[in-house]
Amino acid sequence: MGQRFKHIADSALEPCEGTVCHHCECEDRPIFEYSGRIVDPKLAADPALAEEEPEVSELCADCILGGNVVRDMDDRLRAVVDKLSDVERLWREFQQLPEIPLFLQGFDWPLCCGDWCEFVGCAENHQSLIERHEQSRAWDRGLTAYRRDFRRDGAPESLREISFFRCHHCRRETHIDQFT
């Protein structure tokens, strides 16, 4: 479990290239990608701007965790989450997930044992990708049978296309394949 974000291993935590938080306007801390909107503009550093343009894309960890920003939920992911217990906690924690992995095809995050999994990073090389990929479950807004054959077809264009997650409870790995 990560120190800063519960569902992101510290070793996998990567700030984006942004320099200013779109909510508090601080420039002295790491910034993370987060596609969402400000809930209460009066709580933002510039309430008039937040009222006029509530959409945000880069935030500091404090603002992501602060509860005044939300992202829209994908209907397919909503269908998975709404079948679980403690739905309110899950959706609250969902709002606190920055877009750390490479999400080329829309924001997604695996669930296991009734909880969000922890993003643990990407494979270091082609061989470790093959091993981890073959041992993990595939996820695309729910468990899926689709998986590429990296042993036969070679490495993807970027190892960052495949993000690995680990369940906090059973420790099983799941991967998301965001192919380019």
PDB file of all heavy atoms in Angstrom, residues 86-101:
ATOM      1  N   ASP A  86     -20.341  -2.135   0.049  1.00  0.00           N
ATOM      2  CA  ASP A  86     -19.593  -0.925   0.402  1.00  0.00           C
ATOM      3  C   ASP A  86     -19.342  -0.036  -0.821  1.00  0.00           C
ATOM      4  O   ASP A  86     -18.251   0.509  -1.015  1.00  0.00           O
ATOM      5  CB  ASP A  86     -18.292  -1.293   1.104  1.00  0.00           C
ATOM      6  CG  ASP A  86     -17.808  -0.181   2.035  1.00  0.00           C
ATOM      7  OD1 ASP A  86     -18.509   0.844   2.157  1.00  0.00           O
ATOM      8  OD2 ASP A  86     -16.724  -0.340   2.626  1.00  0.00           O
ATOM      9  N   VAL A  87     -20.366   0.111  -1.660  1.00  0.00           N
ATOM     10  CA  VAL A  87     -20.281   0.873  -2.897  1.00  0.00           C
ATOM     11  C   VAL A  87     -19.889   2.331  -2.630  1.00  0.00           C
ATOM     12  O   VAL A  87     -19.085   2.906  -3.356  1.00  0.00           O
ATOM     13  CB  VAL A  87     -21.613   0.788  -3.673  1.00  0.00           C
ATOM     14  CG1 VAL A  87     -21.619   1.710  -4.872  1.00  0.00           C
ATOM     15  CG2 VAL A  87     -21.872  -0.646  -4.098  1.00  0.00           C
ATOM     16  N   GLU A  88     -20.428   2.918  -1.578  1.00  0.00           N
ATOM     17  CA  GLU A  88     -20.121   4.322  -1.266  1.00  0.00           C
ATOM     18  C   GLU A  88     -18.632   4.518  -1.028  1.00  0.00           C
ATOM     19  O   GLU A  88     -18.033   5.456  -1.545  1.00  0.00           O
ATOM     20  CB  GLU A  88     -20.917   4.766  -0.034  1.00  0.00           C
ATOM     21  CG  GLU A  88     -20.775   6.245   0.252  1.00  0.00           C
ATOM     22  CD  GLU A  88     -21.641   6.676   1.420  1.00  0.00           C
ATOM     23  OE1 GLU A  88     -22.836   6.336   1.445  1.00  0.00           O
ATOM     24  OE2 GLU A  88     -21.095   7.364   2.310  1.00  0.00           O
ATOM     25  N   ARG A  89     -17.989   3.628  -0.263  1.00  0.00           N
ATOM     26  CA  ARG A  89     -16.546   3.721  -0.019  1.00  0.00           C
ATOM     27  C   ARG A  89     -15.773   3.539  -1.321  1.00  0.00           C
ATOM     28  O   ARG A  89     -14.822   4.280  -1.604  1.00  0.00           O
ATOM     29  CB  ARG A  89     -16.088   2.664   0.991  1.00  0.00           C
ATOM     30  CG  ARG A  89     -14.559   2.667   1.191  1.00  0.00           C
ATOM     31  CD  ARG A  89     -14.074   1.479   2.011  1.00  0.00           C
ATOM     32  NE  ARG A  89     -14.395   0.196   1.439  1.00  0.00           N
ATOM     33  CZ  ARG A  89     -13.685  -0.420   0.485  1.00  0.00           C
ATOM     34  NH1 ARG A  89     -12.608   0.152  -0.022  1.00  0.00           N
ATOM     35  NH2 ARG A  89     -14.045  -1.610   0.038  1.00  0.00           N
ATOM     36  N   LEU A  90     -16.177   2.569  -2.133  1.00  0.00           N
ATOM     37  CA  LEU A  90     -15.484   2.319  -3.393  1.00  0.00           C
ATOM     38  C   LEU A  90     -15.523   3.535  -4.302  1.00  0.00           C
ATOM     39  O   LEU A  90     -14.503   3.909  -4.895  1.00  0.00           O
ATOM     40  CB  LEU A  90     -16.061   1.095  -4.096  1.00  0.00           C
ATOM     41  CG  LEU A  90     -15.739  -0.241  -3.439  1.00  0.00           C
ATOM     42  CD1 LEU A  90     -16.548  -1.362  -4.084  1.00  0.00           C
ATOM     43  CD2 LEU A  90     -14.247  -0.534  -3.515  1.00  0.00           C
ATOM     44  N   TRP A  91     -16.686   4.181  -4.421  1.00  0.00           N
ATOM     45  CA  TRP A  91     -16.769   5.362  -5.288  1.00  0.00           C
ATOM     46  C   TRP A  91     -15.991   6.539  -4.707  1.00  0.00           C
ATOM     47  O   TRP A  91     -15.376   7.305  -5.437  1.00  0.00           O
ATOM     48  CB  TRP A  91     -18.212   5.755  -5.579  1.00  0.00           C
ATOM     49  CG  TRP A  91     -18.858   4.828  -6.561  1.00  0.00           C
ATOM     50  CD1 TRP A  91     -20.048   4.193  -6.414  1.00  0.00           C
ATOM     51  CD2 TRP A  91     -18.359   4.421  -7.846  1.00  0.00           C
ATOM     52  NE1 TRP A  91     -20.305   3.406  -7.523  1.00  0.00           N
ATOM     53  CE2 TRP A  91     -19.295   3.534  -8.411  1.00  0.00           C
ATOM     54  CE3 TRP A  91     -17.207   4.706  -8.564  1.00  0.00           C
ATOM     55  CZ2 TRP A  91     -19.111   2.944  -9.665  1.00  0.00           C
ATOM     56  CZ3 TRP A  91     -17.020   4.120  -9.812  1.00  0.00           C
ATOM     57  CH2 TRP A  91     -17.963   3.255 -10.341  1.00  0.00           C
ATOM     58  N   ARG A  92     -15.967   6.670  -3.393  1.00  0.00           N
ATOM     59  CA  ARG A  92     -15.178   7.738  -2.756  1.00  0.00           C
ATOM     60  C   ARG A  92     -13.686   7.515  -3.050  1.00  0.00           C
ATOM     61  O   ARG A  92     -12.967   8.443  -3.421  1.00  0.00           O
ATOM     62  CB  ARG A  92     -15.446   7.771  -1.253  1.00  0.00           C
ATOM     63  CG  ARG A  92     -14.787   8.927  -0.529  1.00  0.00           C
ATOM     64  CD  ARG A  92     -15.157   8.996   0.952  1.00  0.00           C
ATOM     65  NE  ARG A  92     -14.863   7.771   1.672  1.00  0.00           N
ATOM     66  CZ  ARG A  92     -15.765   6.875   2.088  1.00  0.00           C
ATOM     67  NH1 ARG A  92     -17.043   7.078   1.862  1.00  0.00           N
ATOM     68  NH2 ARG A  92     -15.406   5.783   2.741  1.00  0.00           N
ATOM     69  N   GLU A  93     -13.217   6.276  -2.914  1.00  0.00           N
ATOM     70  CA  GLU A  93     -11.817   5.970  -3.199  1.00  0.00           C
ATOM     71  C   GLU A  93     -11.503   6.086  -4.691  1.00  0.00           C
ATOM     72  O   GLU A  93     -10.387   6.447  -5.063  1.00  0.00           O
ATOM     73  CB  GLU A  93     -11.466   4.573  -2.683  1.00  0.00           C
ATOM     74  CG  GLU A  93     -11.409   4.508  -1.173  1.00  0.00           C
ATOM     75  CD  GLU A  93     -11.066   3.122  -0.656  1.00  0.00           C
ATOM     76  OE1 GLU A  93     -10.871   2.181  -1.465  1.00  0.00           O
ATOM     77  OE2 GLU A  93     -10.980   2.966   0.576  1.00  0.00           O
ATOM     78  N   PHE A  94     -12.474   5.786  -5.548  1.00  0.00           N
ATOM     79  CA  PHE A  94     -12.302   5.932  -6.990  1.00  0.00           C
ATOM     80  C   PHE A  94     -11.953   7.377  -7.336  1.00  0.00           C
ATOM     81  O   PHE A  94     -11.111   7.631  -8.202  1.00  0.00           O
ATOM     82  CB  PHE A  94     -13.591   5.506  -7.693  1.00  0.00           C
ATOM     83  CG  PHE A  94     -13.590   5.711  -9.181  1.00  0.00           C
ATOM     84  CD1 PHE A  94     -12.956   4.811 -10.020  1.00  0.00           C
ATOM     85  CD2 PHE A  94     -14.244   6.792  -9.753  1.00  0.00           C
ATOM     86  CE1 PHE A  94     -12.962   4.994 -11.399  1.00  0.00           C
ATOM     87  CE2 PHE A  94     -14.262   6.975 -11.124  1.00  0.00           C
ATOM     88  CZ  PHE A  94     -13.618   6.075 -11.946  1.00  0.00           C
ATOM     89  N   GLN A  95     -12.578   8.323  -6.661  1.00  0.00           N
ATOM     90  CA  GLN A  95     -12.319   9.744  -6.908  1.00  0.00           C
ATOM     91  C   GLN A  95     -10.907  10.134  -6.492  1.00  0.00           C
ATOM     92  O   GLN A  95     -10.406  11.176  -6.899  1.00  0.00           O
ATOM     93  CB  GLN A  95     -13.342  10.613  -6.176  1.00  0.00           C
ATOM     94  CG  GLN A  95     -14.776  10.359  -6.566  1.00  0.00           C
ATOM     95  CD  GLN A  95     -15.045  10.515  -8.048  1.00  0.00           C
ATOM     96  OE1 GLN A  95     -14.323  11.206  -8.765  1.00  0.00           O
ATOM     97  NE2 GLN A  95     -16.085   9.869  -8.530  1.00  0.00           N
ATOM     98  N   GLN A  96     -10.241   9.297  -5.699  1.00  0.00           N
ATOM     99  CA  GLN A  96      -8.903   9.603  -5.202  1.00  0.00           C
ATOM    100  C   GLN A  96      -7.800   8.853  -5.954  1.00  0.00           C
ATOM    101  O   GLN A  96      -6.692   8.704  -5.460  1.00  0.00           O
ATOM    102  CB  GLN A  96      -8.826   9.278  -3.714  1.00  0.00           C
ATOM    103  CG  GLN A  96      -9.787  10.113  -2.895  1.00  0.00           C
ATOM    104  CD  GLN A  96      -9.775   9.738  -1.430  1.00  0.00           C
ATOM    105  OE1 GLN A  96      -9.327   8.679  -1.033  1.00  0.00           O
ATOM    106  NE2 GLN A  96     -10.269  10.647  -0.605  1.00  0.00           N
ATOM    107  N   LEU A  97      -8.120   8.407  -7.174  1.00  0.00           N
ATOM    108  CA  LEU A  97      -7.136   7.692  -7.989  1.00  0.00           C
ATOM    109  C   LEU A  97      -6.627   8.604  -9.108  1.00  0.00           C
ATOM    110  O   LEU A  97      -7.358   8.903 -10.044  1.00  0.00           O
ATOM    111  CB  LEU A  97      -7.772   6.445  -8.621  1.00  0.00           C
ATOM    112  CG  LEU A  97      -8.273   5.366  -7.667  1.00  0.00           C
ATOM    113  CD1 LEU A  97      -9.055   4.311  -8.430  1.00  0.00           C
ATOM    114  CD2 LEU A  97      -7.106   4.745  -6.921  1.00  0.00           C
ATOM    115  N   PRO A  98      -5.389   9.065  -9.024  1.00  0.00           N
ATOM    116  CA  PRO A  98      -4.844   9.841 -10.145  1.00  0.00           C
ATOM    117  C   PRO A  98      -4.610   8.906 -11.333  1.00  0.00           C
ATOM    118  O   PRO A  98      -4.602   7.689 -11.188  1.00  0.00           O
ATOM    119  CB  PRO A  98      -3.528  10.379  -9.599  1.00  0.00           C
ATOM    120  CG  PRO A  98      -3.120   9.400  -8.553  1.00  0.00           C
ATOM    121  CD  PRO A  98      -4.402   8.872  -7.964  1.00  0.00           C
ATOM    122  N   GLU A  99      -4.423   9.475 -12.480  1.00  0.00           N
ATOM    123  CA  GLU A  99      -4.225   8.680 -13.696  1.00  0.00           C
ATOM    124  C   GLU A  99      -2.746   8.347 -13.858  1.00  0.00           C
ATOM    125  O   GLU A  99      -2.088   8.804 -14.777  1.00  0.00           O
ATOM    126  CB  GLU A  99      -4.781   9.443 -14.889  1.00  0.00           C
ATOM    127  CG  GLU A  99      -6.277   9.653 -14.753  1.00  0.00           C
ATOM    128  CD  GLU A  99      -6.856  10.596 -15.784  1.00  0.00           C
ATOM    129  OE1 GLU A  99      -6.260  10.774 -16.862  1.00  0.00           O
ATOM    130  OE2 GLU A  99      -7.910  11.162 -15.493  1.00  0.00           O
ATOM    131  N   ILE A 100      -2.244   7.520 -12.958  1.00  0.00           N
ATOM    132  CA  ILE A 100      -0.827   7.164 -12.962  1.00  0.00           C
ATOM    133  C   ILE A 100      -0.488   6.205 -14.097  1.00  0.00           C
ATOM    134  O   ILE A 100       0.423   6.459 -14.865  1.00  0.00           O
ATOM    135  CB  ILE A 100      -0.394   6.572 -11.605  1.00  0.00           C
ATOM    136  CG1 ILE A 100      -0.532   7.618 -10.506  1.00  0.00           C
ATOM    137  CG2 ILE A 100       1.036   6.045 -11.667  1.00  0.00           C
ATOM    138  CD1 ILE A 100       0.359   8.829 -10.645  1.00  0.00           C
ATOM    139  N   PRO A 101      -1.188   5.074 -14.266  1.00  0.00           N
ATOM    140  CA  PRO A 101      -0.846   4.230 -15.410  1.00  0.00           C
ATOM    141  C   PRO A 101      -1.188   4.927 -16.722  1.00  0.00           C
ATOM    142  O   PRO A 101      -1.903   5.928 -16.739  1.00  0.00           O
ATOM    143  CB  PRO A 101      -1.730   2.995 -15.230  1.00  0.00           C
ATOM    144  CG  PRO A 101      -2.205   3.040 -13.838  1.00  0.00           C
ATOM    145  CD  PRO A 101      -2.215   4.489 -13.445  1.00  0.00           C
TER     146      PRO A 101
END
